[in-house]
Amino acid sequence: MSNFVDYVKIHCKSGHGGAGSAHLRREKYIPKGGPDGGDGGRGGHIIMKGNAHEWTLLPLRYTRHIKAENGQPGGKNQLTGRFGEDVYIEVPVGTIAKNEDGDVIGEILEDGQEVILMHGGKGGLGNEHFKSATNQTPRYAQPGLPGEEGYIVFELKILADVGLVGFPNAGKSTLLSAVSAAKPKIADYAFTTLTPNLGIVDYRNYKSFVMADIPGIIEGAAEGKGLGHRFLRHIERNSILLFLIPADSEDHFQEFKILENELKEYNPELLNKQFIVSISKSDLLDAKLEEEIAAEFPEHMQPLFFSAVTGQGLQELKDKIWKILHDCSQKIIPLK
């Protein structure tokens, strides 16, 4: 079973507000002290908090219900009731929270960021607030307001500098294992990778960047076929898209166009991202075949050839990625 969990649905309930007090002050030498009831305390919030040390929603996988504490009622001598304790749900950076209707409540983009998902109910006012010249001893107070309740969906869209895009068996997992310490599952059948894998790629002079091996697309993925949206949502947070077309593909440019179309069908804004086209498994090719494959592509998207098995072209590929990531003068040519 994979330890990467990117979707969790939890029933949440924030705390009710405490009731206000209707206490009347009665002391030995103050027989008509008047109202002195305090306000009720606020109910506890449900709060989502970013944690850079978390990479998956796995800790929440078996959490079915989360409930915050109710606020305490107000007391005499205008004492406010204690606030209900807030509940913090720690999630990885890149997590989005949605309500049952699919509306986004908030998203976590940095470590320590907090988003209130459900507000605790407001505490009721004590009777001290209701005294007036015509009603000097009000014997009533407000009840606390109820908290919020419902299901919240947490979706993780991984944050990476480079996202690998390609059909199953395009060589994405092999590339990630060759350039980083990540150990994704590799085998000769479709959908070996069922969940995203992250790897830190070492670059020159102790620099590095993050690469994401994302489950392979098939034609119709935008409509939910194959791994469908479960795959596509992870592409949205990648700075660069690296298209991998295997050298043994029957039609390299057509395969690229199918991948491009699936991104467009899912979210047209993805076509504005910077991208690199590459031909994997190039150890299967000679110089003449490389020229023929390159001729299939337009001049502005000439592919890079590499082999993760032999190491051929890997440094050139990393140089290209680094240049795009850090050269602000690099011209971005969108897909569309």
Side-chain angles (χ1 to χ4, degrees):
M1 181 181 292
S2 171
N3 286 330
F4 192 97
V5 176
D6 56 6
Y7 180 95
V8 173
K9 185 176 182 179
I10 301 175
H11 183 269
C12 298
K13 185 177 182 181
S14 60
H16 298 318
S21 171
H23 187 269
L24 297 175
R25 185 180 180 189
R26 293 186 177 88
E27 297 182 24
K28 185 174 182 180
Y29 300 107
I30 310 177
K32 297 181 179 180
D36 70 344
D39 300 339
R42 170 184 60 77
H45 296 323
I46 303 291
I47 302 174
M48 177 172 63
K49 184 175 182 179
N51 184 344
H53 299 292
E54 296 286 353
W55 292 91
T56 171
L57 297 175
L58 180 63
L60 302 176
R61 182 170 188 169
Y62 300 106
T63 303
R64 293 289 176 261
H65 302 277
I66 292 178
K67 182 179 179 181
E69 187 181 27
N70 294 332
Q72 297 300 305
K76 61 182 180 179
N77 296 327
Q78 300 180 21
L79 291 178
T80 299
R82 182 172 61 84
F83 283 17
E85 187 173 350
D86 298 331
V87 173
Y88 288 85
I89 304 174
E90 294 198 348
V91 297
V93 176
T95 300
I96 293 178
K98 299 179 180 179
N99 61 21
E100 295 176 81
D101 297 324
D103 300 323
V104 175
I105 305 172
E107 59 182 322
I108 297 298
L109 298 176
E110 58 186 31
D111 183 42
Q113 178 186 351
E114 297 181 6
V115 176
I116 298 177
L117 303 179
M118 288 186 173
H119 288 81
K122 185 178 179 181
L125 297 177
N127 63 348
E128 191 271 337
H129 290 275
F130 302 107
K131 65 181 179 181
S132 65
T134 57
N135 186 10
Q136 297 184 2
T137 56
R139 288 175 169 79
Y140 53 85
Q142 284 183 335
L145 295 179
E148 301 178 63
E149 182 176 2
Y151 282 95
I152 293 180
V153 172
F154 297 89
E155 289 185 3
L156 174 58
K157 298 182 179 181
I158 59 175
L159 292 165
D161 297 308
V162 186
L164 306 183
V165 182
F167 283 126
N169 284 350
K172 301 184 299 299
S173 297
T174 305
L175 172 61
L176 186 66
S177 64
V179 297
S180 76
K183 302 299 179 186
K185 184 177 180 181
I186 301 172
D188 189 22
Y189 57 88
F191 298 121
T192 306
T193 303
L194 298 178
T195 57
N197 292 295
L198 290 176
I200 298 175
V201 180
D202 291 327
Y203 190 61
R204 305 175 191 270
N205 301 320
Y206 304 104
K207 298 181 177 69
S208 64
F209 56 86
V210 178
M211 180 178 286
D213 166 25
I214 303 169
I217 308 180
I218 66 169
E219 194 166 5
E223 301 170 4
K225 294 181 181 178
L227 299 177
H229 292 174
R230 179 177 172 183
F231 151 76
L232 287 166
R233 69 167 173 265
H234 290 294
I235 289 224
E236 294 179 303
R237 293 285 177 81
N238 299 158
S239 301
I240 298 174
L241 302 182
L242 175 58
F243 288 83
L244 271 70
I245 314 296
D248 53 2
S249 172
E250 294 182 2
D251 189 328
H252 303 86
F253 187 65
Q254 179 59 27
E255 188 164 318
F256 167 77
K257 295 302 290 183
I258 293 173
L259 294 170
E260 177 190 20
N261 185 65
E262 291 306 318
L263 299 186
K264 179 181 179 181
E265 291 294 319
Y266 176 70
N267 182 356
E269 292 183 7
L270 294 176
L271 302 188
N272 291 320
K273 287 183 177 290
Q274 180 64 287
F275 72 99
I276 301 171
V277 178
S278 67
I279 305 298
S280 62
K281 308 178 184 180
S282 63
D283 53 296
L284 303 175
L285 306 173
D286 56 24
K288 183 177 181 180
L289 285 173
E290 285 191 6
E291 290 181 7
E292 292 177 1
I293 293 173
E296 298 178 24
F297 291 83
E299 188 66 33
H300 72 277
M301 61 171 67
Q302 284 297 290
L304 294 176
F305 293 83
F306 75 89
S307 169
V309 175
T310 66
Q312 168 197 340
L314 288 183
Q315 189 57 54
E316 290 79 1
L317 180 62
K318 291 195 285 185
D319 287 342
K320 179 69 172 178
I321 292 170
W322 187 264
K323 180 176 178 61
I324 294 174
L325 284 173
H326 297 277
D327 185 357
C328 296
S329 64
Q330 181 83 14
K331 183 179 179 181
I332 295 179
I333 304 175
L335 287 166
K336 64 182 180 180

